[in-house]
Amino acid sequence: MSRRSALAATGAAVAAGAVLGTGGTAGAETVERRFRADARGRAGRPNVLVILADDLGWADLSCYGSPHIRTPNLDRLARDGVRFTDGYSAAPICSPTRFGLYTGRYPGRLRGGLEEPIARPDELHGIPPEHPTLASLLKDAGYSTAMFGKWHCGFLPWYSPLRSGWDTFFGNLSGAVDYYSKVSGTKVDLYEGEVPTEDLGYYTDTIADRAAAHIRRRHDRPWLVNLNFTAPHWPWEAPGDQEVSARITARSRAGDARALWHEDGGSLDTYRRMVEAMDAAIGRVLRALRDTGRERDTLVLFASDNGGERWSYQWPLSGGKGGLNEGGIRVPTILRWPARLRPRQVSDVPVASQDWTATILEIAGARPAATHPLDGRSLAPYLLEGARAPRHDLFWRTRDARALRRGRWKYLRAGRNARDALYDLTADPREQADLARHHPEVVRELAARWQEIDRTLLPYS
């Protein structure tokens, strides 16, 4: 059976017998095992490498069923660790998810987290420097910290990674830049620390090479590296598309506010080349890790900040970026830590961005701030000790929609005037069979829980 047929037949590839490819749509296949912790293992505090793709759809990797995109490096990462079939972003769009990942809390706990996304400099729109973050908490626990790539959690002069716990930063502050000129709006958006800089290389390669060089440095303490790609977010530019870049850059500099949206360009082939370029860049970073002898003792987490957009492959999910159907929030998620996690495993445990924050902090021996309690639940006991996975509700909201997942059930109101719907995600990950009339008591219970959480968050204006 082909990979695409296998995934379609199983709906969401949640069974232990799911097929994992080793390099695109051709090549050898390896049967995954249902996740089981190796409670006998012991290891010190790991280095932490968090790799975030931008607008990558749930099935845009060959190990998640893409019929035409080859991602041998991410396939290998999955083969060497744990592939999560039910991994979620904190939100269906860029900025709020990054708030969730960096703070470990619901985006709506901060004013900037209400922006969908942060579009322009504003003193109110960002992660306040005094707010604890994954980086600041790990830094307090003795880690060095670095970020390469997209920040999108507030603009200077009020916000930057250096003000939120990262020692080193090279990247962009906005939500999107041209891949060659690094123009966003009418100006170049690229910073070395907080100093504007320029680089005309292909951005996916540039930030990956910076991260690889940082990893190859001599380190006298454990480290956190956040590698945040803008790929495969628009504009639709693959390696070698300098002419496309020149046209978009000229329009953007001339004041065309939607030039970077690239609504008149792109193709399935361009998108394929963008994702494959990101995979190759990740391969170089992982090679640097291997060459330094730190691969075994480094925890690597790969995920996307939200679901896919125009050219993305989402099957069997419905919806996409910006919405709370599964295609907007369920994302490819891979975890590898050779010192403690067995290879070739698959887990169907539902897990969101905030849960990874809590998990990393616990594994690294960092204590969350009592003044800012986490909303995420740590998976460390499940991953490392064989304990039962956390049974907690996953909550989402946007200005116009709401959703909550509890086990197999998902409560969804997909628009401001939509009615409440209920889906059994185990049987129906495509969310086509609304079971609300058959289980009204479940709808009432989940809706009440959604409202209970919502009351603790800042209201939309």
Side-chain angles (χ1 to χ4, degrees), residues 109-319:
R109 297 209 181 279
L110 289 170
R111 174 61 185 84
L114 303 182
E115 298 300 304
E116 298 172 344
I118 295 174
R120 60 189 60 85
D122 191 298
E123 188 174 0
L124 297 177
H125 301 164
I127 297 178
E130 67 274 11
H131 193 292
T133 64
L134 175 66
S136 69
L137 293 169
L138 288 182
K139 189 173 179 178
D140 290 345
Y143 277 68
S144 66
T145 58
M147 178 183 290
F148 302 93
K150 177 174 171 175
W151 162 243
H152 208 187
C153 288
F155 289 88
L156 289 168
W158 310 282
Y159 309 102
S160 83
L162 298 189
R163 303 180 187 210
S164 286
W166 282 270
D167 300 315
T168 299
F169 173 61
F170 176 88
N172 61 299
L173 301 178
S174 66
V177 295
D178 181 88
Y179 281 82
Y180 282 98
S181 69
K182 315 306 183 296
V183 160
S184 180
T186 60
K187 298 179 180 179
V188 171
D189 176 20
L190 186 65
Y191 289 84
E192 183 92 55
E194 295 186 353
V195 179
T197 187
E198 293 190 3
D199 179 278
L200 297 179
Y202 187 66
Y203 195 38
T204 298
D205 294 334
T206 298
I207 60 173
D209 292 345
R210 285 288 191 125
H214 181 84
I215 287 170
R216 290 183 186 277
R217 286 175 42 197
R218 181 179 181 85
H219 295 271
D220 58 4
R221 50 185 171 143
W223 47 256
L224 164 71
V225 169
N226 288 91
L227 175 55
N228 298 341
F229 289 98
T230 57
H233 192 292
W234 40 260
W236 314 113
E237 297 171 9
D241 288 342
Q242 285 97 333
E243 290 186 8
V244 177
S245 167
R247 290 195 297 271
I248 291 175
T249 298
R251 287 171 51 195
S252 191
R253 286 190 182 277
D256 182 349
R258 296 187 68 86
L260 287 181
W261 291 58
H262 206 181
E263 292 160 315
D264 58 347
S267 68
L268 284 172
D269 186 63
T270 298
Y271 187 80
R272 174 189 63 79
R273 290 187 292 131
M274 292 173 73
V275 176
E276 291 183 355
M278 180 182 68
D279 179 80
I282 290 170
R284 295 195 298 276
V285 174
L286 296 179
R287 189 177 309 119
L289 190 61
R290 186 164 57 251
D291 290 347
T292 60
R294 300 187 181 110
E295 182 178 67
R296 175 175 171 78
D297 299 319
T298 299
L299 182 154
V300 180
L301 172 66
F302 172 86
S304 180
D305 65 345
N306 47 250
E309 225 218 53
R310 273 165 268 179
W311 305 105
S312 182
Y313 181 65
Q314 305 274 68
W315 183 263
L317 310 181
S318 63

Side-chain angles (χ1 to χ4, degrees), residues 50-122:
V50 180
I51 305 174
L52 205 61
D54 197 352
D55 292 4
L56 184 75
W58 187 80
D60 278 335
L61 305 181
S62 33
C63 59
Y64 277 84
S66 174
H68 66 286
I69 301 176
R70 294 178 177 269
T71 52
N73 294 291
L74 285 167
D75 294 351
R76 188 176 303 112
L77 187 72
R79 188 178 69 236
D80 292 344
V82 185
R83 186 175 67 90
F84 287 80
T85 61
D86 292 48
Y88 290 91
S89 56
I93 204 159
C94 308
S95 297
T97 285
R98 294 161 200 273
F99 273 64
L101 177 63
Y102 299 150
T103 69
R105 310 174 83 208
Y106 295 126
R109 297 209 181 279
L110 289 170
R111 174 61 185 84
L114 303 182
E115 298 300 304
E116 298 172 344
I118 295 174
R120 60 189 60 85
D122 191 298

Side-chain angles (χ1 to χ4, degrees), residues 325 402-404 409-414 418-424 431-437 439 442-444 446-447:
N325 285 93
R402 60 179 66 179
L404 185 136
W409 296 114
K410 180 178 176 183
Y411 160 71
L412 175 67
R413 185 184 295 178
R419 61 186 177 88
D420 289 350
L422 180 71
Y423 299 103
D424 179 350
E431 298 169 292
Q432 298 300 302
D434 180 3
L435 303 179
R437 69 174 60 188
H439 301 280
V442 177
V443 175
R444 286 193 296 270
L446 299 189

